[in-house]
Amino acid sequence: MKDPRSVAEMDGDIVNHWYILAHESEIPADKPIRRTLYDKPYVVFRDGEGMPRAYLDQCIHRGAPLSKGWCDKGGIRCPYHGWRFQADGQVAEVPSTGEEGGGVEGKWRLKGPATVFQDGCLWVWPGAGEPDSATPPWRFPTPPGKHARGYFMVTDFDNEVGHLVQNFMDVPHTVYVHDKWFRKRRAIKVTAHVAVSSGRVAVTYHQPDDSIGFMGRILNPAKAPMIHTDVYIFPNLTRVDYTFGTNGFIINSQCTPVSRHRTRVYTWIAYNVGFLSRLLEPFFRFYTRKVITQDVEIMEQHGGVVKLLGENTPHSTAADELHLAVQKLRDAGVQDRQKPYVPNYQRERDFWI
């Protein structure tokens, strides 16, 4: 059955967390942009020092969208009546009054969420009240070693956060959706150890002969044993690690709920292949974009059916243990954002890929 609720209504207390509103590469130096989180539009612009700022995309005068205005003197000017606001949101100029401040200094200012600029990303707290922490608790990691490199990719998905975080950690789909690009079907047994604690679902895969196609030959020329771990971090983060001796790569995806069936994903990809790391970056960018585009396509197909028919009641097998664990944490978080940190258990499951 189709669910008529908005994404904010569905997520309940999950709204009260830090989310990425924009990456620094998305924010021009000289004009504002609009970004949407939980169906709310925000205007994002850079102040006179180049730091990103975010407010609700609505002028407090007559409600015009500030994202259609322009940057001016380190602040932003409304396109409708020309009201200018300082970087801190305070009214700085009301042209129709003939006065610099319009006689409203210290009285009126733009509305906006708590914001933090961290790791090249503008994070916001869209929930009610003060944030639970002064800064987002998550920092994007990099593999050890002087040759390690990393980059962000920003991708829009026509699907919901819950489905996406499960997709990013799902191994069985890789032999079909990413056939030959990432894995190919070999009917080999994989034992997955699933550990749930502290708001996380950590999965370690035990399969000595596992590989990731031709990408593995580039990352692992010495043919060292591959260690593969996936972690879901409540409410909207995943971390996927592949380690080959001293080489390896990390894929972090932070999901920002835009609307009921749309999510913007900020993916941090960090890797270390020794002295070849810098030389191979163009290839890694091409390869990871190709693989993520394949996920975009299957998630669009999946999301389209959910729009038409609503959520189904899944028939789960041993390979779905991580999906059940992730959904359990998210369901608990809808009621109370502290509940996902209570479950503590471990399970082992076998499946074939």
Side-chain angles (χ1 to χ4, degrees):
M1 181 181 296
K2 290 190 286 187
D3 192 331
R5 294 178 297 170
S6 70
V7 64
E9 291 171 328
M10 287 183 59
D11 276 7
D13 205 25
I14 291 178
V15 173
N16 291 290
H17 285 86
W18 289 101
Y19 293 89
I20 296 177
L21 188 63
H23 183 257
E24 60 183 349
S25 64
E26 300 178 274
I27 311 171
D30 57 353
K31 64 179 181 180
I33 60 172
R34 170 180 278 193
R35 287 292 177 263
T36 304
L37 171 61
Y38 279 115
D39 289 312
K40 282 187 178 181
Y42 296 88
V43 60
V44 180
F45 64 95
R46 293 183 184 271
D47 63 21
E49 304 298 321
M51 290 298 295
R53 302 281 185 147
Y55 297 96
L56 288 177
D57 193 14
Q58 184 179 46
C59 182
I60 60 174
H61 176 218
R62 287 294 180 265
L66 294 168
S67 60
K68 297 298 183 180
W70 58 94
C71 296
D72 189 358
K73 299 180 181 179
I76 190 170
R77 192 177 288 273
C78 177
Y80 194 11
H81 295 94
W83 282 35
R84 182 169 62 84
F85 300 89
Q86 297 174 167
D88 64 1
Q90 176 66 46
V91 174
E93 182 184 351
V94 180
S96 61
T97 67
E99 301 178 46
E100 178 66 14
V104 296
E105 305 94 318
K107 297 180 181 179
W108 297 341
R109 62 191 310 127
L110 296 175
K111 300 176 181 178
T115 63
V116 172
F117 186 66
Q118 177 177 288
D119 294 339
C121 298
L122 178 63
W123 299 74
V124 302
W125 180 275
E130 293 298 315
D132 290 347
S133 57
T135 61
W138 181 254
R139 303 304 299 262
F140 292 103
T142 300
K146 65 179 181 180
H147 297 293
R149 297 181 64 81
Y151 56 92
F152 271 97
M153 290 197 301
V154 183
T155 311
D156 289 319
F157 285 81
D158 289 324
N159 213 313
E160 301 164 11
V161 173
H163 295 306
L164 293 179
V165 294
Q166 293 179 47
N167 167 259
F168 298 155
M169 296 174 63
D170 181 72
V171 171
H173 90 280
T174 61
V175 299
Y176 297 102
V177 175
H178 308 300
D179 182 32
K180 298 180 179 64
W181 278 90
F182 200 69
R183 277 192 176 93
K184 62 181 179 180
R185 174 73 174 164
R186 295 193 293 161
I188 58 175
K189 180 181 177 181
V190 177
T191 298
H193 181 83
V194 181
V196 178
S197 66
S198 304
R200 298 187 175 207
V201 178
V203 187
T204 303
Y205 301 93
H206 302 283
Q207 206 305 101
D209 299 322
D210 196 9
S211 65
I212 51 174
F214 72 89
M215 187 70 164
R217 293 193 291 273
I218 295 172
L219 284 164
N220 189 23
K223 297 183 179 180
M226 185 176 83
I227 300 173
H228 174 198
T229 60
D230 292 347
V231 184
Y232 163 69
I233 303 102
F234 177 80
N236 65 337
L237 274 156
T238 60
R239 172 173 173 167
V240 177
D241 286 59
Y242 290 92
T243 304
F244 316 87
T246 58
N247 290 355
F249 69 100
I250 302 168
I251 305 171
N252 263 160
S253 294
Q254 189 276 170
C255 302
T256 293
V258 175
S259 59
R260 179 66 173 81
H261 296 285
R262 192 162 181 84
T263 304
R264 174 159 285 197
V265 178
Y266 293 86
T267 303
W268 167 249
I269 298 172
Y271 64 94
N272 187 357
V273 289
F275 69 93
L276 292 176
S277 294
R278 182 182 296 273
L279 181 65
L280 289 174
E281 183 168 331
F283 167 76
F284 278 111
R285 287 180 177 270
F286 162 77
Y287 176 82
T288 51
R289 176 53 69 188
K290 173 66 177 180
V291 171
I292 286 181
T293 298
Q294 291 172 328
D295 281 324
V296 168
E297 292 170 354
I298 192 64
M299 286 290 93
E300 180 182 12
Q301 295 166 15
H302 174 274
V305 174
V306 171
K307 286 181 185 179
L308 291 173
L309 302 178
E311 298 286 355
N312 70 321
T313 301
H315 294 72
S316 299
T317 69
D320 300 305
E321 183 65 42
L322 77 88
H323 300 285
L324 300 175
V326 168
Q327 194 59 52
K328 182 182 294 185
L329 295 192
R330 287 187 58 82
D331 288 345
V334 170
Q335 302 301 320
D336 183 340
R337 60 184 181 273
Q338 300 304 322
K339 285 186 176 181
Y341 299 93
V342 175
N344 190 321
Y345 64 89
Q346 299 184 32
R347 289 175 183 162
E348 205 161 83
R349 296 289 185 262
D350 296 332
F351 60 90
W352 281 255
I353 59 173

